[in-house]
Amino acid sequence: MTACASGTGPFAKHTGPYAPTALKRGEEAVDGLTVGHRLTAAGEHELALKAYLRAASEQGITVDVLSAIGSTNLQLGRLGQAERILRKATEMDGSFVPAWNNLGVVLMETGQTAEAARVFQIAFGLDRGQSAQIRDNLRLALAKSENPDYDQTHNDAFALVRRGTGDYLLLSQI
C-alpha cells in the first residue's frame, strides 16, 4: 500500500484544498474535438459525444462540431437526431464533404434511398470523386433507388465503417 502512504504517489506535492489538475502551468488542454475524435476511434461514442459538446461550448457551434455530433449520434443509432444535426451542418457550410456523406448514410439507414443518392451525389461532386468511400456509398444508393426491391433478402445487412476523421462508409454485409 505504498501508493496510499503519506508523501508518495502522483499527488504527493499537492497541498491545496482543491483537486489537482493534470495540467502544469502554461499547458493547454487538448480541445474537445480532438478528444472526441480519439474517443470515437476507440469506440467510446457516449464519451465522444460529451467531448464534442464540450468543444461546442468552447469553440462555438462550427460545422466541424455539428458534423462530429451528428456522426456520433449516427454511431449510437440515434438516426433522427443525427439527421437533424447533419442537415444543420450542411446548411451551415454547403461544401463540408463529411457532413454530406454522413447525412447520406443516415438517409440510407432510414430507407430514404432516393434522397440519399442525391446527397451522395453532392458529396461526390464536392469531393471531386477523390474518395472511394463516397463513390461506393453513391453506387449503393443509386442501385437501391433504381431498384427498390434490390436484394430484398439482405435489405438490412449494412455496416458503418469509420474512415478517417468523421467519414463513414456504408458497407453491405453480403
Side-chain angles (χ1 to χ4, degrees):
M1 295 266 302
T2 57
C4 295
S6 178
T8 62
F11 305 117
K13 295 180 184 177
H14 178 72
T15 59
Y18 301 106
T21 64
L23 299 176
K24 296 178 183 172
R25 288 183 192 237
E27 290 182 332
E28 291 188 29
V30 178
D31 74 291
L33 204 54
T34 302
V35 171
H37 292 330
R38 290 175 183 166
L39 288 167
T40 298
E44 296 291 340
H45 303 295
E46 285 290 347
L47 293 174
L49 185 57
K50 289 180 182 182
Y52 292 140
L53 292 173
R54 186 186 87 187
S57 71
E58 293 172 348
Q59 301 173 12
I61 304 295
T62 65
V63 69
D64 289 322
V65 170
L66 278 178
S67 181
I69 291 170
S71 300
T72 302
N73 277 305
L74 171 62
Q75 284 292 332
L76 291 168
R78 300 172 184 159
L79 301 180
Q81 291 176 17
E83 180 179 350
R84 187 176 66 252
I85 292 168
L86 289 168
R87 284 188 190 279
K88 285 181 185 176
T90 60
E91 289 169 8
M92 183 179 280
D93 182 353
S95 64
F96 195 71
V97 176
W100 283 109
N101 182 58
N102 293 337
L103 177 58
V105 171
V106 170
L107 295 170
M108 284 293 289
E109 288 286 321
T110 58
Q112 302 172 58
T113 55
E115 187 178 3
R118 182 188 64 81
V119 167
F120 285 135
Q121 286 173 335
I122 292 169
F124 187 77
L126 290 170
D127 189 54
R128 295 184 185 99
Q130 295 178 359
S131 170
Q133 295 89 9
I134 295 173
R135 183 175 41 251
D136 292 342
N137 288 348
L138 175 59
R139 189 175 299 130
L140 180 62
L142 288 173
K144 285 199 59 112
S145 66
E146 290 172 2
N147 185 4
D149 294 329
Y150 176 76
D151 201 12
Q152 194 67 19
T153 59
H154 298 289
N155 249 357
D156 58 348
F158 296 106
L160 286 174
V161 178
R162 183 175 173 83
R163 302 283 187 194
T165 58
D167 288 327
Y168 292 91
L169 175 63
L170 184 66
L171 293 177
S172 175
Q173 296 179 355
I174 299 174

